[in-house]
Amino acid sequence: MGKNIKYKLDIGFYAHRHGMIFRAAFQEIFEHAKQVVFQQGKQIKFPYADVPHLIFVHEGAVLGTLSYEQKIVYKSIKLMQSIFLTDPTGYFKKKVDTHEWVAVNKVSLTAIPIDYLMESLKSVDGAPDKLSKHIKKVIKSDYRQYQQMQEHDTLSDKLDFLIKTNPLLFQIASKYLAVFMNISQNDLSKAILTWAIKNFGIQKNDDTN
């Protein structure tokens, strides 16, 4: 019961921060939302794979890879207290025919089919449109960050960009950060060490204890 209340509070606080307190619809939404846990490395899948779900990340992180005709459109790492849509069709201008989301570590999520959610929100004037605009904004931001990172020529510049724009990404396992950046884990480790030497004077033989 305590965890269920925490889930509701997490979502409620997020909704409040983004001006989306739809009290009249919350009870019905929570009754049909599912709280799920995925272990590290597991794909985020549901019984009806063709039904897009809006996901709220309570704890952990998720890596998404969205492609069209086997070419990557963008990647996204969703950290705790954030949302993502398992299939952005209808909310994103670019074409996507493959969307894969993987747990970066153990993740606790709340999931609800987006069509059902929008139907529930019709009881609140303007709510479906407001949520739809927010989802589009989130997806656009994820896409823009990935594209801006890719525009940097060197790995050092890519690191600089991510550290400035989303430093919390460096808290996840380097294996998944490397996948996000389309490089090997070994190249990422070397690049981070080089970046640290350049910016902080940290040497390979420094005592980190």
Side-chain angles (χ1 to χ4, degrees), residues 4 93 107 113 163:
N4 191 42
K93 292 182 179 180
V107 291
I163 289 169

Side-chain angles (χ1 to χ4, degrees), residues 1-193:
M1 185 66 175
K3 181 174 286 189
N4 191 42
I5 291 174
K6 180 188 181 303
Y7 283 153
K8 290 181 178 180
L9 285 174
D10 283 348
I11 294 171
F13 290 149
Y14 181 93
H16 186 269
R17 286 200 305 274
H18 297 283
M20 296 186 295
I21 295 294
F22 310 131
R23 291 184 179 86
F26 275 172
Q27 186 60 41
E28 183 180 358
I29 291 170
F30 284 133
E31 286 177 358
H32 291 83
K34 297 184 181 301
Q35 284 77 48
V36 290
V37 173
F38 289 89
Q39 301 299 324
Q40 184 183 51
K42 296 296 183 180
Q43 287 193 27
I44 310 302
K45 288 187 174 182
F46 300 95
Y48 304 102
D50 59 337
V51 178
H53 284 68
L54 183 66
I55 309 293
F56 185 91
V57 183
H58 296 277
E59 296 177 355
V62 175
L63 169 65
T65 302
L66 297 98
S67 307
Y68 180 67
E69 295 183 343
Q70 300 183 329
K71 294 183 179 179
I72 295 172
V73 178
Y74 76 97
K75 293 184 180 182
S76 175
I77 295 178
K78 307 305 295 187
L79 303 173
M80 59 189 298
Q81 310 301 307
S82 66
I83 65 168
F84 67 92
L85 194 60
T86 56
D87 177 359
T89 303
Y91 293 83
F92 186 49
K93 292 182 179 180
K94 302 289 184 179
K95 291 183 178 180
V96 172
D97 56 18
T98 305
H99 30 85
E100 180 181 280
W101 297 88
V102 178
V104 167
N105 42 36
K106 181 179 178 180
V107 291
S108 299
L109 312 170
T110 288
I112 187 168
I114 188 64
D115 289 345
Y116 176 82
L117 175 57
M118 289 301 180
E119 186 66 28
S120 299
L121 289 177
K122 286 182 179 179
S123 62
V124 182
D125 186 41
D129 185 56
K130 184 174 286 188
L131 178 59
S132 179
K133 287 180 179 178
H134 178 71
I135 292 172
K136 290 177 181 178
K137 181 179 178 181
V138 169
I139 294 173
K140 183 178 180 180
S141 177
D142 292 342
Y143 171 77
R144 184 169 58 245
Q145 183 187 55
Y146 182 75
Q147 293 301 319
Q148 287 176 341
M149 179 193 72
Q150 293 294 91
E151 289 171 1
H152 292 284
D153 294 328
T154 69
L155 185 48
S156 177
D157 288 340
K158 285 179 169 64
L159 285 177
D160 272 332
F161 172 75
L162 291 178
I163 289 169
K164 289 176 182 177
T165 58
N166 200 351
L168 293 179
L169 291 181
F170 292 85
Q171 295 181 1
I172 70 171
S174 60
K175 169 184 176 180
Y176 294 97
L177 183 57
V179 171
F180 173 70
M181 298 179 69
N182 301 310
I183 60 176
S184 72
Q185 189 173 351
N186 187 52
D187 284 346
L188 176 60
S189 296
K190 290 179 179 178
I192 290 176
L193 178 57

